[in-house]
């Protein structure tokens, strides 16, 4: 096997092997597949971001793939990290089922050659799957130091009987309140019907409605809505259009088709569903339209064939989704380093991440208080 580095402009030659790896990887990660990553790099990052891969020397098939870029670990320490962030908060590398610690080690050795460092971050890595275990093998077999920091849990839910139990775990008072709010929504002459689209053309049309709905709310006022920035909107449209063409997007709605009260965009990668973006009409906030559509989306997930589990992609303890999706998705930031200098740099990165995390938590608390004061 051998390692290679390519950029977005060179991706066309590698697309068959890249897609094949994404379709069979040990753990799904739609945000490292070409449908997401290529428009993301084109519009939100840089086409010059290196994409590192390991391929089989025989048939050329990809055994591993991770996009890396330079960033800061937290407040100050510069590092090289897997390209995972707010729009794709999942850093799990794409690894073939046959991949072992030697494949991971070769990938990181190539990254060290490319970037001139032996300290790497893998943010938002799920810690409950086989990829996390492979990093433990890497530490044991290949001399890399692997530590987990910024451990956290976000909402999700399972399939089958466990998922049905989680669906019922919502408190009786909360369930009755949601039902009452739904009836009150109907009484305002607004539709309280749920809908769902997954056809490619219907998804594209519904996504335009979603962009408008999101931009009309607080994200639009803050300039963080997808439609607030042309490059951001172009990335989102390209990503959703590409995935929808392959039947991988579902948009759940509450309300009239032309005036939705709430919309939730989910993407599916094989048996796993990811809740990507949600928006609601703030004039109807007293009816909890976001919570209503999120609960309905959970019901639809549970009814889908071949479904195994869902990841909300939400921040830990999200006040709306956490009480509704009662499963858990554990994740952490992996600090992977080698050698004495790498160990020192890794320790500094962990301290930096911890400091940054405390400040972010404080900022979220203050922002929540400000919003509450305005209501």
């Amino acid at each position: 096997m051998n390692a290679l580095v390519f950029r977005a402009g060179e991706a066309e030659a590698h697309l068959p092997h890249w897609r094949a790896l994404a379709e069979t990887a040990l753990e799904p990660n739609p945000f490292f597949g070409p449908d997401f990553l290529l428009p993301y790099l084109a519009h939100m990052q840089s086409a010059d971001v290196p994409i590192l891969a390991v391929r089989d020397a025989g048939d050329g098939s990809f055994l591993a793939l991770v996009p890396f870029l330079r960033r800061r670990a937290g407040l100050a320490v510069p590092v090289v990290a897997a390209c995972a962030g707010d729009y794709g908060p999942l850093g799990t590398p794409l690894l073939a089922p046959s991949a072992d610690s030697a494949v991971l080690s070769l990938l990181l050795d190539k990254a060290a050659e490319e970037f001139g460092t032996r300290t790497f971050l893998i943010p938002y890595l799920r810690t409950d799957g086989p990829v996390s275990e492979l990093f433990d093998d890497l530490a044991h077999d290949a001399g890399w130091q692997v530590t987990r920091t910024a451990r956290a849990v976000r909402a999700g839910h399972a399939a089958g009987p466990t998922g049905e139990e989680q669906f019922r775990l919502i408190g009786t008072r909360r369930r009755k309140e949601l039902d009452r709010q739904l009836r009150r929504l109907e009484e305002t002459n607004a539709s309280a019907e749920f809908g769902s689209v997954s056809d490619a053309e219907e998804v594209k049309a519904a996504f335009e409605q979603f962009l408008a709905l999101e931009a009309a709310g607080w994200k639009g006022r803050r300039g963080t809505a997808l439609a607030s920035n042309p490059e951001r909107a172009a990335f989102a449209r390209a990503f959703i259009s590409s995935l929808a063409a392959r039947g991988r997007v579902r948009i759940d709605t509450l309300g009239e088709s032309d005036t939705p009260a709430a919309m939730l965009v989910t993407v599916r990668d094989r048996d796993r569903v990811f809740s990507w973006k949600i928006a609601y009409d703030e004039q109807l906030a007293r009816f909890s339209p976001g919570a209503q559509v999120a609960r309905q989306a959970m019901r639809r997930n549970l009814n889908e064939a071949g479904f195994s589990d869902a990841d909300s992609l939400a921040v830990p303890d999200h006040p709306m989704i956490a009480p509704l999706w009662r499963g858990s998705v554990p994740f952490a930031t992996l600090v992977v380093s080698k050698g004495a200098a790498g160990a020192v740099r890794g320790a500094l990165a962990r301290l930096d991440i911890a400091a940054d995390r405390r400040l972010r938590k404080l900022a979220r608390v203050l922002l929540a208080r400000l919003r509450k004061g305005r209501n």
Side-chain angles (χ1 to χ4, degrees):
M1 60 186 178
N2 54 72
L4 71 152
V5 180
F6 63 93
R7 266 69 176 178
E10 306 160 323
E12 186 70 29
H14 304 290
L15 279 179
H17 290 313
W18 189 355
R19 288 196 183 280
L21 175 63
E23 291 292 334
T24 58
L26 272 175
E27 293 184 51
N29 185 352
F31 308 113
F32 282 177
D35 296 303
F36 175 91
L37 193 60
L38 292 179
Y40 181 76
L41 295 182
H43 297 286
M44 302 289 287
Q45 279 288 341
S46 167
D48 196 47
V49 169
I51 302 169
L52 285 87
V54 174
R55 59 187 172 190
D56 187 286
D59 60 11
S61 61
F62 279 8
L63 301 174
L65 183 141
V66 180
F68 280 109
L69 74 169
R70 296 187 186 276
R71 52 161 284 193
R72 295 191 182 279
L75 297 171
V77 179
V79 294
V80 172
C83 184
D86 292 343
Y87 295 97
L90 186 64
T92 305
L94 295 180
L95 295 175
S98 61
D100 57 15
S101 60
V103 171
L104 264 181
S105 185
L106 179 58
L107 182 81
L108 293 172
D109 284 338
K110 187 65 177 180
E113 178 184 316
E114 175 72 15
F115 290 99
T117 182
R118 290 195 170 191
T119 303
F120 304 96
L121 295 188
I122 311 293
Y124 301 108
L125 177 83
R126 284 192 64 149
T127 55
D128 61 346
V131 173
S132 181
E133 294 175 1
L134 266 182
F135 274 98
D136 291 333
D137 293 341
L138 177 74
H140 182 270
D141 300 336
W144 288 88
Q145 296 170 317
V146 178
T147 57
R148 292 166 176 80
T149 189
R151 290 178 179 268
V153 174
R154 62 193 181 207
H157 72 83
T162 300
E164 294 291 346
E165 181 181 359
Q166 291 168 351
F167 187 76
R168 294 189 296 269
L169 277 177
I170 180 175
T172 302
R173 180 180 299 178
R174 179 60 171 149
R175 182 170 58 250
K176 288 182 177 180
E177 178 64 9
L178 286 174
D179 291 342
R180 183 192 68 81
Q181 290 172 325
L182 200 57
R183 292 193 298 271
R184 294 295 180 267
L185 178 62
E186 289 180 314
E187 292 170 2
T188 66
N189 295 321
S191 171
E193 292 186 1
F194 291 102
S196 182
V197 297
S198 55
D199 172 79
E201 291 304 313
E202 291 180 330
V203 164
K204 288 171 68 174
F207 190 63
E208 292 302 317
Q209 289 183 306
F210 175 86
L211 292 175
L213 183 63
E214 185 187 52
W218 65 269
K219 288 186 178 181
R221 294 190 294 275
R222 289 181 60 193
T224 59
L226 291 170
S228 296
N229 176 283
E231 287 293 306
R232 198 183 301 150
F235 141 69
R237 287 188 175 105
F239 164 50
I240 292 300
S241 178
S242 184
L243 267 192
R246 302 172 61 219
R248 302 294 181 85
V249 180
R250 191 185 78 220
I251 300 182
D252 296 317
T253 62
L254 168 64
E256 298 284 357
S257 59
D258 56 342
T259 56
M263 304 182 78
L264 175 63
V265 181
T266 60
V267 301
R268 180 162 176 167
D269 191 323
R270 288 176 287 164
D271 59 347
R272 184 167 291 164
V273 168
F274 299 87
S275 171
W276 191 57
K277 290 290 178 181
I278 189 169
Y280 64 92
D281 184 343
E282 292 182 0
Q283 295 183 20
L284 302 173
R286 63 189 182 279
F287 305 117
S288 300
Q292 303 280 3
V293 79
R295 182 159 169 79
Q296 178 64 17
M298 182 176 180
R299 178 72 270 159
R300 289 190 184 278
N301 291 342
L302 291 170
N303 291 341
E304 285 201 357
F307 166 74
S308 68
D309 62 296
D311 183 343
S312 71
L313 300 178
V315 296
D317 301 317
H318 190 281
M320 185 272 288
I321 196 69
L324 300 175
W325 290 19
R326 302 297 293 271
S328 60
V329 178
F331 64 96
T333 294
L334 259 64
V335 183
V336 186
S337 59
K338 198 170 192 179
V344 172
R345 199 173 186 82
L348 290 174
R350 291 195 300 275
L351 292 173
D352 197 21
I353 291 168
D356 184 44
R357 195 179 184 197
R358 286 193 294 270
L359 286 178
R360 287 175 181 268
K361 184 176 181 180
L362 177 60
R364 285 197 299 268
V365 170
L366 292 175
L367 182 60
R369 289 177 180 174
L370 283 172
R371 286 181 189 159
K372 187 175 181 180
R374 291 172 184 168
N375 293 335

